Amino acid sequence: MSRASGAAHSRVKAGRPYPLGATWDGLGVNFSLYSRHATRVELCLFNERGREIERITLPEYTDEIWHGYLPDARPGQRYGYRVHGPYAPDAGHRFNPNKLVLDPYAKQLVGQIKWAPHLFGYTIGHKDKDLSFDRRDSAGYMPRCVVVDPAFTWGADRSPAVPWDRTVIYEAHLRGLSMQHPAVPEASRGTFSALRSEAVTDHLKHLGITALELLPVHAHVDDQYLVDKGLKNYWGYNTLGFFAPDPVFMSTSTIAEFKQMVASLHSAGLELILDVVYNHTAEGNELGPTLSFKGIDNASYYRLAEDRRYYINDTGTGNTFDLTNAGALRMVMDSLRYWVQDMHVDGFRFDLATILGRERAGFDASGSFLDAVRQDPVLSQVKLIAEPWDIGPGGYQLGNFAPGWAEWNDRFRDNLRAFWKGDEGQLSEFATRLMGSADLFDHNGRRPAASVNFVTAHDGFTLHDLVSYNDKHNIENGEDGRDGSDHNISWNHGVEGATDDPGILALRRRQMRNLLASLLLAQGTPMLLAGDEFGRTQNGNNNAYCQDNPINWIDWERAASEDGQQQSQFVRRLLALRRRYPQLRRSRFLDARDGQGADAAHWLRPDGQPMQEADWHEPQHRALMLQLPALPHDGESTVVESTQLLLLVNAAAESQAFAPPSADNTPWRLLITSVDDTPVQPDEHGQWHLPDRAIALLASRVGSGQ
């Protein structure tokens, strides 16, 4: 290895502090790294075999940024840094130049972490633990950063820019979506190239999906304890590189593969939303490895406890990113803009987003990061979705984010599960959730679309398992079943797991349809978990974060089965109705309780009389009707005449007769029902009869578009 020789010093130029990262300008590469507390930064160059061939000290330090320019560097150059400074954990500093660290702004990484004691800044097993100092070189166990050429011909690519009130989100994992898809070439499965397959995009379009939300695709680390068990951090919520796609998702050697995927999705009319994890990194707590931020400027990038040897752990993962620090905040903002401007992403779902708004005194909807995003001319125009909770103090903030943000609504999830399970006292909240959760979101000009409604997500049971298991079955995760939530609000309907009992199977199918109908006909933004449209199972595993195998991969054979096709057709029909009838996707909150005015939603008892206050609070009441007023043609729906809708809901354990209100001498007509084994139609008295646990949507004054 050649150290920083006189020749190396003679060719390295001062360069510029901005932009941060490694930037190819057509003639050479500018290298720039933020570190407030470092005393020296060395740029390490590697050949393609991974051998360190040169070490160059960055010559300039401007406004807390180290920088230099190499006129002979080119795209494809592999590099990393060694950062000098105090190793004083008690003061929050963990500099160790024996450890190769990754550029936080690296646009591409090659290779994976190879777990070894060399990766740790301290000597494992030493009596002083992290206060000790380890002198072993970690380069042989680290990935490499790669200088990229950003040039790409986007052609006529444009974001579909789907309005919020017409957005339908499909949450999926990139590998899980494609690993078992028969129409995806085997070499492309599990990679960005897989989503260029028309078979995948056609499935989403045919369902009525408008936005694909991918679980994290940023470069991440598989935790050592999982690797030792032969498992992986499949979900990827353990980010190491916030600009670089994970190498495991690439079937080619350049990041153009990601851009090609985005262009294909946009061509199909689909938006791309990325699940992003800016609340913590993969470096863990004081006993974690030194991979990037910890060795670059630990005291600036992380929130430290009063005893600065230790980390504030509001994430439950060992550390918390410090977005009150200007350098860390700038990195996150630059990352987000990069994915929008350079990679053409259409939006983000922010993991544990409460942390992103937590200032020193607690959560603040006008905190540094949240305000920075809200005022940003680029980021304020894309879809922003918060997971509005974390495990820190005051961590549950559902409904408290600022205008411009949508939020995952777990109260919608829990209420729908409990209501259709048959729990008492759920009817009043069910009505509130069905109408867009105005109690949470109707303030500051926020709209129903701010409520991202879901019944299932990656974390927890699939829809099939929600109606098939009372308890979690997580033994495959290697933690003796201790992991995963015990609060599933699930019901196996008589048998735990698989059964051939036709009665139980029929009821499970109906319950899945009840939940799907409630989700997709509710006001707000619906989110569907990948595979729920045809009844995907994880065999009762409600925490499959570490399973990169068929437990998590979409079973496309099941999708092609008779049951799978029937359920998919039910979802397609629901989403077609949602598109057709504008009152199912109102952009403003309806008056959902007093029943006054043209925009009122009328709540009726099964006998056709208006719901009274006492009716809402009767614990045993599980049936009602919702009458949605006719609306003028909105220019988007296919209905020529205005149409009023009537939703019949029966979550009781016995059949129920419904007496619909008069429909201006136009008979009510069935649009869709969860009942698949008996006809649903009016009797001679005009009453509609639903069996136990069923839902139906009726319409009157249906025009020629029907």
Side-chain angles (χ1 to χ4, degrees):
M1 179 186 70
S2 171
R3 296 286 178 174
S5 64
H9 279 299
S10 67
R11 80 176 197 278
V12 64
K13 309 300 181 185
R16 306 179 310 277
Y18 295 101
L20 285 154
T23 305
W24 161 247
D25 63 7
L27 297 175
V29 178
N30 191 79
F31 292 91
S32 176
L33 182 74
Y34 163 77
S35 180
R36 179 183 181 185
H37 296 103
T39 57
R40 180 160 63 102
V41 173
E42 293 178 303
L43 170 67
C44 302
L45 303 182
F46 296 84
N47 63 21
E48 290 190 0
R49 294 190 300 274
R51 180 172 175 265
E52 186 175 346
I53 57 175
E54 196 167 9
R55 196 176 294 185
I56 303 169
T57 297
L58 294 183
E60 293 293 336
Y61 182 56
T62 305
D63 296 335
E64 302 179 343
I65 296 172
W66 301 82
H67 54 96
Y69 181 85
L70 285 184
D72 58 345
R74 295 290 183 267
Q77 175 65 61
R78 302 181 180 195
Y79 72 99
Y81 289 108
R82 298 180 187 275
V83 183
H84 297 253
Y87 189 83
D90 285 339
H93 301 307
R94 295 178 180 271
F95 295 98
N96 187 337
N98 299 291
K99 310 305 171 183
L100 185 76
V101 291
L102 299 179
D103 180 2
Y105 279 73
K107 307 300 192 301
Q108 184 176 349
L109 301 180
V110 294
Q112 299 286 343
I113 294 286
K114 299 175 184 176
W115 284 105
H118 304 63
L119 294 173
F120 296 79
Y122 65 97
T123 302
I124 293 178
H126 194 282
K127 62 182 178 63
D128 293 327
K129 297 184 179 179
D130 61 303
L131 297 180
S132 63
F133 184 78
D134 191 85
R135 300 184 182 279
R136 286 173 288 189
D137 189 346
S138 70
Y141 306 89
M142 287 289 292
R144 306 287 186 259
C145 307
V146 182
V147 177
V148 304
D149 183 348
F152 183 78
T153 303
W154 283 101
D157 180 69
R158 295 290 184 275
S159 170
V162 179
W164 267 113
D165 61 334
R166 293 179 178 85
T167 296
V168 180
I169 298 171
Y170 188 86
E171 190 202 33
H173 188 283
L174 179 66
R175 281 178 64 78
L177 193 58
S178 58
M179 283 300 291
Q180 296 188 116
H181 200 298
V184 175
E186 202 162 326
S188 297
R189 293 179 186 176
T191 71
F192 299 121
S193 294
L195 292 190
R196 298 175 62 191
S197 168
E198 289 186 0
V200 177
T201 55
D202 284 352
H203 173 76
L204 300 180
K205 288 170 58 182
H206 193 40
L207 275 180
I209 301 301
T210 70
L212 174 62
E213 180 177 308
L214 289 179
L215 267 66
V217 298
H218 289 171
H220 78 280
V221 174
D222 290 326
D223 316 74
Q224 184 174 10
Y225 78 92
L226 291 176
V227 173
D228 290 345
K229 294 178 182 179
L231 300 171
K232 297 181 180 180
N233 192 316
Y234 172 79
W235 285 349
Y237 292 94
N238 203 30
T239 306
L240 184 60
F242 294 99
F243 291 76
D246 197 295
V248 75
F249 297 135
M250 297 177 64
S251 62
T252 67
S253 60
T254 73
I255 61 172
E257 181 179 353
F258 183 93
K259 298 178 181 181
Q260 291 165 348
M261 173 194 71
V262 174
S264 294
L265 291 171
H266 285 177
S267 179
L270 296 167
E271 294 183 306
L272 177 64
I273 297 172
L274 295 185
D275 195 335
V276 288
V277 189
Y278 293 107
N279 56 74
H280 75 281
T281 79
E283 293 185 297
N285 62 14
E286 70 279 2
L287 299 179
T290 296
L291 308 174
S292 182
F293 307 93
K294 185 178 288 186
I296 294 172
D297 197 340
N298 184 70
S300 293
Y301 277 114
Y302 294 116
R303 293 188 65 203
L304 302 179
E306 185 174 350
D307 181 345
R308 295 178 67 77
R309 176 181 175 185
Y310 302 104
Y311 297 80
I312 291 174
N313 185 21
D314 291 339
T315 65
T317 61
N319 64 58
T320 303
F321 217 62
D322 187 1
L323 292 184
T324 67
N325 172 273
L329 175 62
R330 175 177 53 215
M331 191 279 292
V332 173
M333 294 296 293
D334 287 349
S335 169
L336 291 169
R337 277 191 293 266
Y338 171 75
W339 287 100
V340 174
Q341 294 178 303
D342 287 55
M343 307 297 256
H344 287 205
V345 165
D346 304 290
F348 305 95
R349 179 266 187 188
F350 293 84
D351 179 63
L352 301 183
T354 297
I355 286 172
L356 307 181
R358 183 174 277 118
E359 299 292 300
R360 298 301 181 190
F363 177 80
D364 184 350
S366 293
S368 302
F369 171 76
L370 298 181
D371 270 357
V373 170
R374 189 179 179 191
Q375 63 78 43
D376 189 276
V378 173
L379 301 180
S380 63
Q381 300 306 303
V382 301
K383 288 184 166 68
L384 303 170
I385 303 170
E387 182 184 38
W389 51 77
D390 64 26
I391 67 167
Y396 190 76
Q397 294 292 334
L398 177 63
N400 293 332
F401 279 71
W405 285 81
E407 303 175 38
W408 270 27
N409 189 346
D410 64 326
R411 288 183 60 179
F412 181 98
R413 175 199 65 196
D414 291 352
N415 172 255
L416 260 66
R417 290 184 177 194
F419 179 74
W420 286 109
K421 180 172 170 282
D423 291 356
E424 294 183 352
Q426 300 295 320
L427 189 66
S428 179
E429 185 175 356
F430 176 77
T432 300
R433 302 295 154 241
L434 207 64
M435 298 307 295
S437 297
D439 60 326
L440 300 171
F441 298 104
D442 189 9
H443 56 84
N444 294 11
R446 301 184 78 182
R447 302 296 179 87
S451 175
V452 176
N453 300 329
F454 64 104
V455 176
T456 56
H458 67 275
D459 187 1
F461 280 144
T462 65
L463 184 63
H464 171 278
D465 292 357
L466 186 68
V467 300
S468 304
Y469 294 90
N470 285 348
D471 305 302
K472 63 188 181 185
H473 296 264
N474 297 354
I475 294 301
E476 298 96 333
N477 295 352
E479 298 181 43
D480 296 324
R482 295 186 300 272
D483 64 304
S485 174
D486 294 313
H487 183 64
N488 297 296
I489 320 179
S490 62
W491 179 28
N492 65 20
H493 295 85
V495 173
E496 187 74 357
T499 181
D500 56 5
D501 185 304
I504 292 176
L505 291 174
L507 182 54
R508 286 177 178 177
R509 286 194 298 270
R510 190 156 74 245
Q511 288 282 60
M512 284 192 284
R513 293 181 180 194
N514 290 332
L515 289 160
L516 287 166
S518 302
L519 169 66
L520 300 179
L521 299 179
Q523 306 294 325
T525 302
M527 184 184 79
L528 188 69
L529 175 64
D532 276 357
E533 70 270 27
F534 52 77
R536 178 176 76 90
T537 180
Q538 291 176 176
N539 301 320
N541 192 323
N542 77 343
N543 189 36
Y545 77 103
C546 57
Q547 302 292 336
D548 187 7
N549 53 51
I551 291 176
N552 259 321
W553 301 343
I554 301 297
D555 182 358
W556 291 102
E557 286 188 9
R558 188 181 186 95
S561 69
E562 183 178 356
D563 282 351
Q565 289 183 334
Q566 288 178 351
Q567 186 156 308
S568 291
Q569 178 57 38
F570 184 73
V571 171
R572 284 193 290 272
R573 179 61 175 157
L574 286 168
L575 289 176
L577 292 171
R578 187 179 181 89
R579 291 191 302 275
R580 169 173 282 189
Y581 297 109
Q583 57 265 62
L584 295 174
R585 45 178 174 80
R586 290 293 302 263
S587 60
R588 291 180 173 82
F589 285 100
L590 287 165
D591 184 347
R593 274 290 190 268
D594 64 16
Q596 304 297 315
D599 266 1
H602 300 282
W603 294 97
L604 307 170
R605 298 188 316 219
D607 63 6
Q609 296 302 306
M611 289 281 289
Q612 302 299 319
E613 189 64 27
D615 296 320
W616 291 113
H617 302 291
E618 172 50 55
Q620 299 300 327
H621 283 187
R622 296 184 177 91
L624 81 171
M625 293 187 286
L626 167 61
Q627 186 177 7
L628 294 172
L631 292 177
H633 190 270
D634 66 353
E636 297 287 339
S637 67
T638 56
V639 178
V640 175
E641 297 178 20
S642 59
T643 306
Q644 62 175 320
L645 302 177
L646 187 69
L647 188 67
L648 313 182
V649 178
N650 179 28
E654 59 278 337
S655 62
Q656 178 67 58
F658 292 87
S662 171
D664 298 327
N665 297 320
T666 303
W668 290 101
R669 178 176 179 179
L670 180 67
L671 294 179
I672 195 168
T673 179
S674 61
V675 181
D676 63 351
D677 50 359
T678 58
V680 175
Q681 58 191 18
D683 61 20
E684 64 274 15
H685 304 294
Q687 290 195 333
W688 293 72
H689 296 262
L690 286 184
D692 61 296
R693 302 183 178 89
I695 196 169
L697 181 66
L698 313 182
S700 68
R701 297 186 64 200
V702 176
S704 60
Q706 173 62 21

